Amino acid sequence: MKTSIKLLPWVISALIGSPALAQQTETQDSEAQNSALQNTGKSSRVTSLEEIIVTARRRKETAQESPVPLTVLNEALLDRYGVTGIDSIASLTPGLVTGESGGAVGGSISLRGVGSGESQAFIDQAVSINIDGIPISTAQILRVAQMDLQQIEVLRGPQALFFGKNSPGGIISLTSAGPTEEFESMIRTGYEFDSEEWSIDGSISGPISDKAGFRLAAHYADMDGYIDVDSPINLIPASNDPYSIQASGLDAFPQKEETFLRGTFDFDPIDQLSMSLKGTYADTEVTGGTSYFSDITHCPYSNPQELYPVADNCKNDGKIVAAQIPEEVLALNSQLQPNGHRDSEQILISGTIEYDFSDELSLTSVTGYYKAEEEISSNGGYGLAPSNIYAVNYENEQVTQELRLASNFTGPFNFMVGGFYENRELFTDTYIVIPTVAAPTCPTCYELPYEATNQEQESYSVFAQFLYDITDEVQISLGGRYTRETKEVTDYTIITETTFDPAPVLSGTPVDVLAMPSYPGDTELEFTNFSPEVTLTYKPHEDMMYFASYKEGYKSGGFDGSYTAGAVLTNGVNSFDPEEVSGFEAGFKSSLMDKQVIFNMTAYWYEYEDLQVATYDTAARSFGTGNAAKSRVRGLELETKYYPQAVPGLELHASANWNDASFEEFFAQCYKSQSKADGCNFDNDPVTGNGNTQDLSGEQLRKAPKFTATVGGYYETPIASGLMMSFSSDLFYSGSYNYGTDYQPYTEQDSFIKADASIRLFAEDSHWELALIARNLTDRRNLVNGIDRTGTGGDYGTDAPVCSSLPATGGCIPAADVIGTPTRGRTVSLQATMRF
């Protein structure tokens, strides 16, 4: 696989750099660009929201015409900020928090504080991703670069009607670029200095005939890593090194090779019929374990609590301490690699057919296929001593089909009706070995039970929306979605017995827990829901629109497929309840001063029932899913843009979000060592009297800052005949929030500011461009997840005090170290682009 990947840059260059094609298209592109500049009087890089077409309601309308709170990033903005994936847009969207997962699967994403947690294999995300009309509910999609995009729309709040599946937190909709009417090609190479990442991108697009067109896009990147890796094995005494620990050999992480390919074919055989087929392939190969994305970010006793403590390994500084997995452990499982690894392949195919019965009635079919496979190994000890080594496999295969019938009547009444179907097959397995400190040789390593499970999910829904123009200025829309969903665990295999002759092997007979007569849980769950929506819009004149909506949203419950370390034998597969939301939003969108100023405002108030939240089991070393009984999310969003006609090429923008997101009723798992006096005094154990839960009612939701804001500007100007220069600068502010899964007292993220900037030199006809793009110049690695470190901390819910120092004396209980997952730090990229 690696050989073919390394050939990709040369294939891109050969494909796009064809002299004949370049000569043919250069004149066409230049003429088109010059014509556009003459007609508009300024470059198309400055784009008003008045001009951006969105599909938030599955009808083509401008962002200012849509009564939906949304952030839109068109192709010009994506290019300006060097956006290569969903993580890249967090600082551009107030209230959006994304990040990698230090666990085995997926990532984290939340909007207005509503999210579904980290590293959970089988759950749908509260904020779902939609790519070219295909809903992707798994967080695995966050681990794939997204290139050659036409537009990203971030829709905030519940979205029940228009994106395939009901989404209670919002939608991030990505639309890839399509074929062009004339031949165009582009090649771009870039270098990011901190991670030493070299990349090359290319695309070619144009007509095949007057009825067909194509587009090919490719991306390849090779990264050395942006997290420094330290392996001070000189700190390990030779007399206390039973595993002959070897230095990592990595100087940085992640060492990554990434390949992305997309092909598009459009065909319009007759005027009434149009068809589009898109296929995407992404391959990512990472050297280094997924746990390396996280680090020890707090030590209550100054140094990490481990066999070989490294004093500096207790802060969020972009540096981790790691060593190789011992050879004796590698021999136990062929999937394990010395430094850990992640190999991922994802395929997405979408087919869209649109047929116009007449100018007033059209039928749309969207068919999707998505497959993700991932293989992982990692040394999750967060230090030199091997203490938590795991191998995980994950597979997700889904097929979706949506049909929509929509009207475009000239009268006051219009409608859209449709149906949606999804079938998903999921698989994951987990292997964990814990080399024991007391054992000088690995034959006494402790292997946790091997667990593997398959799950099938099937979803049907029908939806409808009816629009009626009460007057020329007032419109009402009524709609709703009915959903029926089933989720079935088809098997849950576990191996618990280990033999040690001549080496430790999980040798017990595989047992399907579900087939045991004593199995205590359900194997199939069924859910139904109806989510209505009503919106009233009032447009007194062309440049002002008021709107008010009542919305409901829903996300089904299910089985999370989390690893249980054998607890499934007595507790069954972990299940969780559906999440429901209802509430109101109202606001206005305005264009002022002859469309020089855009000013929008939205107020919202939503009540969530059984909000799905992340949990972490330190004994099983895995994330799970639970429910918070009641939560409330309310707030105010402001957005403004200024395009002064007196200064062509200048754009100023700002946005702000006040968000009060809190639990109204939630009794949650206690954190390690939390005493009764510190709040762990509910659901007491009848035998020991120890508390089991803490009352988080009134606390902010995780990753829900009360205030976020952005402010920035862009300016471009000619500096010589045919030569342009542009500058951009943006600031992003986030208030404080708690990122800890169990709301530990040490997991409070302070407020922070991130700064982005860019400078470009480019031809007036856009034939070439040189760009220097800097993101997060302030180098703030805000933390997005925090868990108690396995093997540290003591029992919770007792009357014992927390130790002020170690070793523990006088009956005190030691506090736990905290493992945190930060976002990426500063990046500075140099890019060179040629367009033909």
Side-chain angles (χ1 to χ4, degrees), residues 54-55 57-61 406-407 414-416 465 467:
V54 300
T55 57
R57 298 194 300 169
R58 289 302 185 222
R59 296 175 181 273
K60 292 183 178 180
E61 54 192 356
S407 70
N414 275 288
F415 71 89
M416 178 185 292
Q465 184 194 47
L467 300 95

Side-chain angles (χ1 to χ4, degrees), residues 113-117 120 123-126 168-169 487 527-529 553-558 575-582 606-615 624-633 662-667 701:
V114 179
S116 297
Q120 296 162 83
I123 71 167
D124 293 342
Q125 291 294 303
K487 297 187 177 181
F527 308 95
T528 59
N529 172 265
Y554 170 81
K555 184 157 72 84
S556 68
S575 63
F576 52 93
D577 294 329
E579 173 182 318
E580 298 182 354
V581 57
S582 61
Y606 287 104
E607 302 284 342
Y608 285 81
E609 298 283 341
D610 292 319
L611 181 72
Q612 292 169 11
V613 295
T615 62
T625 303
N627 293 96
K630 294 182 179 180
S631 307
R632 181 187 64 202
V633 178
S662 60
F663 297 114
E664 292 188 307
E665 181 183 334
F666 183 30
F667 289 88
L701 301 187

Side-chain angles (χ1 to χ4, degrees), residues 111 167 294 445 469 505 725 750 772:
L111 190 58
S167 180
S294 301
C445 287
D469 297 331
V505 176
M725 179 172 280
D750 294 333
L772 185 65

Side-chain angles (χ1 to χ4, degrees), residues 165-241:
K165 295 189 71 173
N166 210 323
S167 180
I171 295 282
I172 300 178
S173 175
L174 293 80
T175 303
S176 63
T180 50
E181 294 182 357
E182 298 179 344
F183 278 105
E184 297 179 2
S185 60
M186 182 275 292
I187 186 167
R188 170 179 292 153
T189 185
Y191 183 77
E192 200 287 308
F193 293 90
D194 181 66
S195 63
E196 300 183 18
E197 179 183 26
W198 175 77
S199 63
I200 183 169
D201 297 76
S203 65
I204 182 169
S205 175
I208 299 174
S209 68
D210 60 346
K211 296 182 181 298
F214 79 101
R215 186 180 188 91
L216 298 174
H219 161 80
Y220 172 80
D222 191 327
M223 175 191 290
D224 185 62
Y226 54 85
I227 300 171
D228 293 334
V229 179
D230 188 20
S231 292
I233 59 173
N234 58 297
L235 299 178
I236 302 175
S239 60
N240 190 22
D241 182 13

Side-chain angles (χ1 to χ4, degrees), residues 45 79-81 713-715 719 724-729 756-762 769-774 777 828-832:
R45 293 166 186 264
D79 187 59
R80 180 187 306 174
Y81 297 107
Y714 174 80
Y715 179 64
I719 59 175
M724 304 282 290
M725 179 172 280
S726 71
F727 309 87
S728 73
S729 178
D756 300 337
S758 71
I759 182 170
R760 281 178 165 81
L761 189 68
F762 57 96
E769 175 186 281
L770 291 175
L772 185 65
I773 304 171
L777 281 168
V828 180
S829 303
L830 183 64
Q831 289 183 350

Side-chain angles (χ1 to χ4, degrees), residues 221-294:
D222 191 327
M223 175 191 290
D224 185 62
Y226 54 85
I227 300 171
D228 293 334
V229 179
D230 188 20
S231 292
I233 59 173
N234 58 297
L235 299 178
I236 302 175
S239 60
N240 190 22
D241 182 13
Y243 298 107
S244 301
I245 293 173
Q246 301 296 312
S248 168
L250 301 177
D251 59 347
F253 170 84
Q255 294 189 0
K256 179 169 68 173
E257 282 190 276
E258 186 172 62
T259 305
F260 179 92
L261 301 168
R262 178 184 286 125
T264 303
F265 175 71
D266 286 0
F267 181 47
D268 303 334
I270 57 176
D271 291 342
Q272 301 96 323
L273 179 64
S274 63
M275 297 181 287
S276 179
L277 178 66
K278 292 177 179 283
T280 301
Y281 171 80
D283 176 271
T284 305
E285 298 182 3
V286 177
T287 299
T290 56
S291 58
Y292 291 4
F293 284 110
S294 301

Side-chain angles (χ1 to χ4, degrees), residues 513 516-522 567-573:
V513 178
M516 297 172 59
S518 59
Y519 177 70
D522 295 320
V568 65
L569 292 167
T570 54
N571 300 331
V573 180

